[in-house]
């Protein structure tokens, strides 16, 4: 008998059909091949197993003892191979897994909070680990399975990394609900420049950002007296002071303690993007999770 490692699954499929039909012509018809081709396959099967396997009797063939012994293992092997080729099933209601997402504190509120709200309704057994993002390490972490997803702001291009834009964010001006300017319907550029302000500096210690870049183009500046390193604390700081802050809209939407104004100048927003690695790109569970995150972001902005 030849080395079975060289055996073609198509040969085993032909063997299985011959066992069912006991007729070379009918087997050829089921396999959608010609009768000479089927006869050629039978020759290869006999060579592979060093046995006639099927003996012609009148208008049909009958299996040899060797073929009868092989019949069930081959049928099982073909069934197992078919299961391997089927798309992996995923049931959110029963799925038990842990996913790891890296993001900023802003994305925690803007994306993770609405995502978890719908995730717990539809996939209650899935655990989520939210990690602080280090964009210089994200590609390595995705490659090494230390992360499943990351939420990034700048364009992120790397081998085997897929990306999907979740939404475009815009900036608003926020003050406490009973701030001296809260009864106004709008904010003038002059007033904006004079008001004491706070900003977020991710790297810490900076008192300027995209707003200041926009003001500089107009030959103007503003009065920034507080710099903090994360967004999460900012709503509380604003609610207890007369400070104004230019903040992403999704961060402060639906916060009753704050009054929002349109900025009196054009400030460039940003796009929040979801990235993941090729290793999970076709996995039905991770595909479902990506689609759910996109849906959650859409629901969140509609509610706002």
């Amino acid at each position: 008998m030849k080395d079975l490692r060289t055996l073609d699954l198509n040969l085993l499929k032909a063997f299985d059909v011959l066992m069912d039909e006991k007729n070379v012509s009918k087997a050829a018809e089921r396999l959608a091949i010609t009768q000479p081709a089927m006869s050629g396959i039978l020759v290869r099967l006999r060579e592979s197993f060093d046995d006639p396997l099927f003996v012609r009797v009148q208008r049909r063939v009958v299996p040899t003892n060797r073929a009868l012994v092989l019949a069930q293992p081959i049928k099982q092997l073909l069934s197992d191979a078919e299961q391997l080729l089927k798309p992996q099933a995923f049931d959110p209601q029963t799925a038990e897994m842990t996913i790891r997402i890296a993001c900023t504190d802003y994305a925690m509120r803007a994306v993770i909070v609405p995502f978890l709200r719908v995730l717990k309704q539809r996939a209650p057994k899935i655990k989520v680990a939210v990690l602080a993002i280090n964009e210089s390490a994200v590609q390595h972490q995705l490659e090494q399975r230390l992360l499943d997803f990351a939420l990034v702001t700048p364009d992120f291009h790397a081998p085997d990394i897929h990306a999907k834009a979740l939404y475009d964010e815009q900036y608003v001006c926020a003050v406490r609900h009973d701030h001296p300017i809260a009864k106004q319907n709008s904010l003038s550029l002059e007033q904006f420049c004079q008001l004491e302000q706070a900003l977020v500096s991710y790297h810490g210690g900076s008192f300027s950002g995209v707003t200041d870049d926009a003001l500089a183009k107009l030959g103007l500046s503003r009065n920034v007296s507080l710099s903090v390193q994360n967004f999460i604390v900012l709503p509380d700081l604003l609610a207890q002071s007369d400070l104004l802050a230019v903040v992403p809209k999704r961060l402060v939407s639906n916060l009753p303690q704050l009054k929002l104004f349109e900025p009196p100048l054009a400030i460039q927003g940003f796009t929040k993007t979801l990235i993941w690695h090729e290793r999970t790109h076709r996995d039905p569970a991770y595909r479902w999770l990506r689609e759910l995150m996109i849906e959650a972001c859409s629901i969140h902005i509609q509610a706002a």
Side-chain angles (χ1 to χ4, degrees):
M1 184 174 66
K2 291 185 177 180
D3 189 341
L4 287 181
R5 288 176 296 182
T6 65
L7 203 58
D8 188 337
L9 276 179
N10 288 325
L11 288 181
L12 299 185
K13 176 66 175 174
F15 173 91
D16 188 54
V17 172
L18 271 170
M19 284 295 300
D20 289 344
E21 298 293 343
K22 309 295 192 299
N23 184 289
V24 173
S25 297
K26 290 182 179 179
E29 186 177 341
R30 265 184 62 180
L31 293 169
I33 60 176
T34 64
Q35 185 170 336
M38 187 68 216
S39 297
I41 288 173
L42 182 53
V43 170
R44 291 170 60 195
L45 279 167
R46 285 167 171 166
E47 291 175 350
S48 296
F49 288 101
D50 194 23
D51 187 271
L53 296 178
F54 297 94
V55 179
R56 187 174 296 279
V57 176
Q58 295 181 349
R59 296 183 178 179
R60 63 191 183 95
V61 293
V62 294
T64 65
N65 286 348
R66 174 68 168 143
L68 291 172
V69 170
L70 290 170
Q72 185 53 41
I74 287 177
K75 188 175 287 291
Q76 184 62 53
L77 189 153
L78 291 170
S79 176
D80 292 344
E82 185 178 354
Q83 289 300 315
L84 286 173
L85 294 172
K86 282 184 178 179
Q88 187 179 352
F90 174 69
D91 179 6
Q93 282 294 322
T94 59
E96 295 186 37
M97 58 189 294
T98 298
I99 60 170
R100 292 170 174 80
I101 308 172
C103 65
T104 63
D105 62 322
Y106 155 77
M108 241 181 267
R109 174 168 172 77
V111 180
I112 299 301
V113 169
F115 169 66
L116 288 177
R117 189 179 301 124
V118 292
L119 178 69
K120 288 306 172 185
Q121 295 171 355
R122 303 184 196 180
K125 296 182 180 180
I126 292 181
K127 297 179 180 180
V128 179
V130 183
L131 309 173
I133 192 167
N134 177 355
E135 291 194 358
S136 64
V138 162
Q139 181 183 353
H140 172 76
Q141 290 172 323
L142 288 170
E143 289 173 349
Q144 297 301 313
R145 301 176 181 268
L146 301 174
L147 287 178
D148 299 301
F149 301 106
L151 293 161
V152 299
T153 297
D155 292 336
F156 193 101
H157 302 287
D160 297 321
I161 299 296
H162 296 266
K164 173 67 178 179
L166 295 177
Y167 59 84
D168 294 324
E169 180 63 290
Q170 64 188 62
Y171 286 102
V172 294
C173 298
V175 296
R176 60 184 171 88
H177 72 95
D178 55 351
H179 191 281
I181 68 166
K183 293 183 179 180
Q184 297 178 194
N185 294 321
S186 62
L187 192 61
S188 71
L189 184 55
E190 181 182 4
Q191 195 174 31
F192 174 79
C193 292
Q194 291 174 349
L195 286 168
E196 194 173 4
Q197 299 188 33
L199 63 67
V200 173
S201 168
Y202 269 119
H203 299 293
S206 176
F207 285 81
S208 66
V210 292
T211 301
D212 302 278
D213 294 339
L215 283 169
K217 291 178 181 178
L218 302 175
L220 300 172
S221 62
R222 58 176 175 156
N223 177 21
V224 179
S225 64
L226 175 65
S227 171
V228 295
Q229 204 166 355
N230 58 66
F231 276 110
I232 293 298
V233 71
L234 203 52
D236 289 333
L237 288 172
L238 294 177
Q240 299 177 45
S241 71
D242 282 342
L243 292 169
L244 174 146
V246 177
V247 291
K249 186 174 182 179
R250 285 178 181 242
L251 179 73
V252 293
S253 60
N254 299 321
L255 293 183
Q257 70 268 35
L258 298 181
K259 169 71 181 285
L260 307 183
F261 292 94
E262 288 294 320
L265 74 163
I267 303 172
Q268 184 177 356
F270 59 88
T271 299
K272 184 55 67 176
T273 301
L274 175 68
I275 62 172
W276 63 94
H277 195 266
E278 170 66 22
R279 66 180 173 80
T280 61
H281 183 59
R282 292 169 180 80
D283 186 292
Y286 290 89
R287 184 170 60 244
W288 182 86
L289 288 162
R290 295 195 302 266
E291 292 170 354
L292 187 68
M293 196 173 298
I294 294 167
E295 178 188 340
C297 288
S298 175
I299 293 171
H300 179 68
I301 197 60
Q302 290 172 10

